[in-house]
């Protein structure tokens, strides 16, 4: 009994405490009774393995299980710091990519994280002590009863407290990570089993969907630029980790983004644009920008649905006689791009291993932005016209520590060895290479023949950098500022710029481009063209509590419980909380669009609905 209670109290106590510490980091209030029940259940299951005999294999196995669960918890900690969620089991297939982003992962480690590991040697010490004690073995039925009690506690906490609408953070705050993962695994298998519930065979639902997307597309014709640039090239640059706050920023006379600032003065600029990424991060940002669909996939769209049929910009323009290509300076299978790009409509994928691309300058994760821009301009010069080129820049990637020879920004000493200073140096490098890219396009006669698009894929700094950014720059960096990315669209021949303050998202990029090109074929796009007079909107399926949104009039912060009335509606004219019902219409639209996006992706229905027009 001494051995039994020592092991149970040690494991349950330590697991309980570090679960509470994680909940504290999430900024949530813990449900201590459920977390303690789950911790005790884990401890009972492990203690039961040791109750039937003193074996070094059994004691070692128990320690390894505890160590691996601690590793899972810490992986959740790091994942949540970047993705605002806990790991999904479907992401296990991405483990091979960890080497490519190891520096990014290390940048998420806090000095206080030893607290997540301090218990591991303590548990090992207790297990060693108990192993050397001479104890009587319990009967097998007693061991089984102990295990059954522990399993019952885990099963109870994995299902009884949860609802499907709960956020990851709320689930962890209720029971800790182990029941949350068990519940998510159950939900994943159930959802896959019922994924074939669609509009197929339902005439009324089909007609409603068709009417919805026809209405969205009709808005494009209200733009003063509809069809004005029909047949022009399209060059779209997805800028890695580019936030709005460095754009136009000057520090002691040093311009952070002089080339972007110049481009804005002669382009359409949408400063109130927000990310729409999912679990695929950069790859989901490009998916959304090219497809105008929510990226509803626990492991990223390119990994979950690479073989689906899409009405992407690439496919639409390829069908209209364009030459299409995508460019990324890493290896072709990174985030499954090589497999996914064909269905996205890219005839050629230029990457690190492509025969026409030289790996002549490597910075961080792949070919430098300067090199890839220069090489692509040479390719454009001989490309069959018109062409659509999609480029994912790479150098401005976490942890943003540029080699010394590329740090050309003259910053005050207070920025030395700070995350903010590293980020500004990295952004300045991207800005310089973009300026060289634009100059090359002008010299080769391509600039005035092309729609040129630049937008950020996702945030650069993280919430942990908020205080430092505020102290060094005097810039607020709350969640809304973190999600805020620049969007610049330069029209062929444009000399005078326009700043459009509409609330926008990456979802609106494809509809805006198809409007400029005057695309008449039926389209399936959840976003809106940004040059028409409509209320701006940016809704979220990931990165924050699902069903939160920003709009011109109201912002809505969804509740972690998923209950609409428990959310907070903010009137942007007064900045004050208002009656939640003012946010209901946009909330219900967002819920509907996310559900439809899931249905389309899970069942590969985009072309099926298209063919029913």
């Amino acid at each position: 009994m001494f051995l039994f209670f020592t092991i149970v109290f040690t494991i349950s106590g330590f697991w309980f405490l570090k679960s509470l510490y994680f909940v504290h980091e999430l900024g949530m209030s813990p449900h201590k009774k459920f977390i303690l029940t789950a911790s005790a259940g884990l401890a009972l299951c492990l203690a039961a393995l040791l109750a039937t005999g003193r074996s070094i294999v059994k004691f070692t196995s128990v320690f390894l299980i505890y160590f691996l669960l601690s590793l899972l918890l810490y992986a959740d900690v790091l994942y949540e710091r970047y993705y605002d969620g806990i790991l999904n089991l479907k992401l296990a297939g991405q483990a091979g990519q960890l080497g490519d982003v190891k520096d990014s992962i290390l940048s998420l480690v806090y000095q206080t994280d030893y607290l997540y590991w301090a218990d591991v040697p303590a548990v090992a010490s207790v297990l060693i002590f108990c192993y050397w004690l001479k104890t009587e073995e319990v009967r097998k039925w007693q061991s089984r009863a102990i295990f059954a009690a522990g399993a019952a506690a885990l099963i109870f906490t994995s299902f009884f407290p949860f609802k499907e609408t709960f956020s990851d953070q709320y689930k962890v705050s209720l029971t800790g990570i182990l029941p949350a993962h068990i519940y998510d695994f159950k939900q994943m298998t159930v959802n896959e089993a019922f994924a074939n519930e669609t509009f197929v065979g339902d005439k009324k639902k089909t007609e409603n969907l068709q009417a919805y997307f026809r209405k969205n597309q009709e808005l494009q014709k209200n733009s003063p630029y509809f069809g004005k640039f029909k047949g022009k090239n399209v060059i779209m640059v997805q800028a890695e980790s580019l936030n709005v706050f460095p754009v136009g920023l000057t520090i002691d006379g040093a311009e952070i983004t002089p080339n972007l600032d110049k481009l804005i003065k002669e382009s359409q600029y949408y400063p109130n644009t927000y990310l729409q990424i999912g679990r695929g991060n950069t790859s989901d940002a490009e998916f959304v920008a090219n497809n105008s669909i929510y990226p509803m996939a626990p492991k990223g769209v390119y990994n979950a649905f690479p073989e689906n049929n899409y009405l992407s910009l690439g496919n639409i323009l390829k069908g209209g006689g364009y030459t299409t290509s995508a460019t990324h300076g890493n290896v072709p299978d990174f985030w499954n791009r090589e497999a996914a790009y064909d269905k996205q409509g890219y005839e050629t994928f230029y990457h690190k291993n492509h025969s026409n691309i030289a790996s002549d300058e490597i910075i961080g994760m792949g070919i430098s932005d300067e090199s890839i821009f220069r090489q692509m301009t040479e390719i454009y010069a001989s490309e069959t016209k018109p062409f659509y080129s999609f480029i994912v820049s790479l150098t401005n990637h976490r942890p943003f520590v540029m080699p010394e020879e590329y740090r050309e920004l003259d910053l005050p000493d207070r920025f030395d060895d700070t995350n903010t200073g590293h980020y500004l140096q990295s952004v300045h490098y991207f800005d310089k290479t973009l300026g060289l890219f634009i100059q090359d396009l002008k010299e080769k006669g391509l600039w005035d023949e092309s729609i040129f698009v630049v937008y950020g894929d996702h945030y650069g700094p993280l919430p942990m950098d908020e205080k430092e950014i505020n102290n060094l720059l005097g810039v607020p960096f709350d969640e809304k500022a973190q999600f805020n990315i620049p969007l610049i669209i330069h029209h062929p021949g444009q000399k005078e710029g326009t700043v459009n303050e509409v609330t926008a998202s990456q979802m609106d990029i494809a509809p805006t481009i198809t409007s400029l090109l005057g695309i008449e074929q039926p389209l399936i796009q959840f976003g809106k063209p940004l040059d028409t007079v409509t209320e701006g909107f940016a809704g979220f399926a990931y990165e924050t509590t699902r069903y939160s949104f920003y709009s011109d009039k109201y912002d809505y912060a969804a509740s972690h419980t998923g209950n609409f009335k428990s959310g907070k509606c903010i009137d942007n004219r007064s900045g004050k909380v208002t009656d939640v019902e003012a946010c209901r219409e946009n909330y219900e639209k967002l819920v509907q669009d996310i559900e439809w996006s899931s249905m389309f992706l899970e069942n590969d229905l985009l072309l099926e609905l298209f063919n029913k027009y």
Side-chain angles (χ1 to χ4, degrees), residues 229-273:
F229 306 107
K230 189 177 185 67
K232 295 294 185 181
N233 306 317
V234 180
I235 302 171
M236 187 145 72
V237 178
Q238 179 170 289
E240 177 68 42
S241 304
L242 186 61
N243 274 112
V244 158
F245 78 86
V247 178
L249 184 65
T250 300
I251 301 174
D252 289 3
E255 292 181 272
I256 309 301
T257 58
N259 293 293
L260 283 169
D261 300 347
K262 182 181 177 182
L263 179 63
I264 286 169
K265 291 177 181 177
E266 55 186 33
S267 305
Q268 307 297 109
Y269 180 44
Y270 309 91
N272 294 321
T273 302

Side-chain angles (χ1 to χ4, degrees), residues 5 166 419:
F5 283 114
F166 289 175
N419 291 340

Side-chain angles (χ1 to χ4, degrees), residues 383-454:
E383 194 86 89
T384 303
K385 311 298 188 298
F387 65 83
Y388 169 46
S389 170
F390 179 71
I391 304 179
V392 181
S393 78
L394 191 58
T395 307
N396 184 37
H397 196 286
R398 172 162 293 279
F400 310 116
V401 182
M402 297 291 293
E404 190 67 40
E405 62 270 28
Y406 297 99
R407 301 180 195 177
E408 299 183 5
L409 191 60
D410 186 17
L411 291 173
D413 292 345
R414 67 179 186 275
F415 288 91
D416 291 348
D417 296 321
T418 64
N419 291 340
T420 305
H422 289 312
Y423 179 65
L424 295 178
Q425 289 283 5
S426 187
V427 168
H428 185 71
Y429 168 83
F430 167 76
D431 179 82
K432 174 189 173 182
T433 64
L434 187 74
L436 294 172
F437 184 38
I438 292 172
Q439 186 59 38
D440 282 350
L441 292 172
K442 289 179 178 179
E443 290 175 0
K444 289 182 169 55
L446 294 167
W447 183 248
D448 287 333
E449 295 299 316
S450 304
I451 298 170
F452 188 79
V453 184
V454 183

Side-chain angles (χ1 to χ4, degrees), residues 323-359:
T323 303
T324 60
S325 68
T327 305
H328 188 275
N330 205 309
V331 293
D333 60 347
F334 189 63
W335 275 102
N336 206 36
R337 284 183 172 88
E338 187 169 40
Y341 272 173
D342 178 60
K343 289 292 188 175
Q344 291 298 318
Y346 301 122
E347 296 169 306
T348 308
F349 176 22
Y350 296 104
H351 50 77
K352 189 176 181 180
N353 300 338
H354 193 278
S355 58
N356 291 343
I357 297 295
S359 298

Side-chain angles (χ1 to χ4, degrees), residues 115-362:
L115 293 171
Y116 286 110
W117 294 101
D119 60 310
V120 173
V123 169
S125 299
V126 169
L127 289 172
I128 291 171
F129 170 73
C130 292
Y131 173 73
W132 290 109
L133 285 178
K134 290 185 177 180
T135 59
E136 295 182 5
E137 295 182 12
V138 301
R139 297 178 181 178
K140 286 186 177 180
W141 73 264
Q142 292 173 315
S143 173
R144 290 168 181 166
I146 294 168
F147 186 86
L154 284 175
I155 292 171
F156 172 78
T157 53
S158 298
F159 299 105
F160 175 76
F162 292 145
K163 293 182 180 179
E164 190 173 359
T165 56
F166 289 175
S167 70
D168 284 352
Q169 292 86 350
Y170 192 58
K171 284 183 284 190
V172 170
S173 73
L174 277 177
T175 64
I177 68 152
L178 199 53
H181 279 294
I182 294 171
Y183 177 81
D184 282 352
F185 178 76
K186 186 269 292 185
Q187 288 298 108
M188 180 178 69
T189 54
V190 169
N191 289 344
E192 287 181 350
F194 292 96
N196 61 352
E197 184 180 345
T198 72
F199 65 87
V200 176
D202 188 330
K203 184 178 179 181
K204 184 176 180 180
K205 192 169 185 178
T206 301
E207 290 174 349
N208 288 340
L209 282 165
Q210 292 171 347
Y212 180 82
F213 291 112
R214 282 198 192 99
K215 183 179 178 181
N216 270 10
Q217 191 170 358
E218 283 299 311
L219 287 174
Q220 298 187 17
K221 297 179 181 179
N222 295 335
S223 167
Y225 306 110
F226 180 78
K228 188 174 181 180
F229 306 107
K230 189 177 185 67
K232 295 294 185 181
N233 306 317
V234 180
I235 302 171
M236 187 145 72
V237 178
Q238 179 170 289
E240 177 68 42
S241 304
L242 186 61
N243 274 112
V244 158
F245 78 86
V247 178
L249 184 65
T250 300
I251 301 174
D252 289 3
E255 292 181 272
I256 309 301
T257 58
N259 293 293
L260 283 169
D261 300 347
K262 182 181 177 182
L263 179 63
I264 286 169
K265 291 177 181 177
E266 55 186 33
S267 305
Q268 307 297 109
Y269 180 44
Y270 309 91
N272 294 321
T273 302
Y274 297 91
L275 56 77
Q276 295 271 217
I277 58 175
R279 295 299 183 245
N281 219 34
T282 296
S283 64
D284 276 348
E286 58 187 82
F287 171 79
V288 174
N290 280 276
N291 290 271
S292 193
I293 301 172
Y294 286 90
M296 305 309 298
K299 61 178 181 178
V301 175
Y302 285 177
N303 282 307
F305 310 112
E307 296 300 321
N308 279 17
N309 296 295
Y310 295 99
L311 283 167
S312 61
L313 275 178
N315 281 315
I316 292 165
L317 296 183
K318 183 171 68 173
Y322 277 65
T323 303
T324 60
S325 68
T327 305
H328 188 275
N330 205 309
V331 293
D333 60 347
F334 189 63
W335 275 102
N336 206 36
R337 284 183 172 88
E338 187 169 40
Y341 272 173
D342 178 60
K343 289 292 188 175
Q344 291 298 318
Y346 301 122
E347 296 169 306
T348 308
F349 176 22
Y350 296 104
H351 50 77
K352 189 176 181 180
N353 300 338
H354 193 278
S355 58
N356 291 343
I357 297 295
S359 298
D360 54 356
E361 184 180 53
I362 303 294

Side-chain angles (χ1 to χ4, degrees), residues 503-515:
T503 300
S505 75
Q506 291 164 340
M507 197 79 66
D508 302 317
I509 295 174
T512 304
I513 300 304
T514 53
S515 176

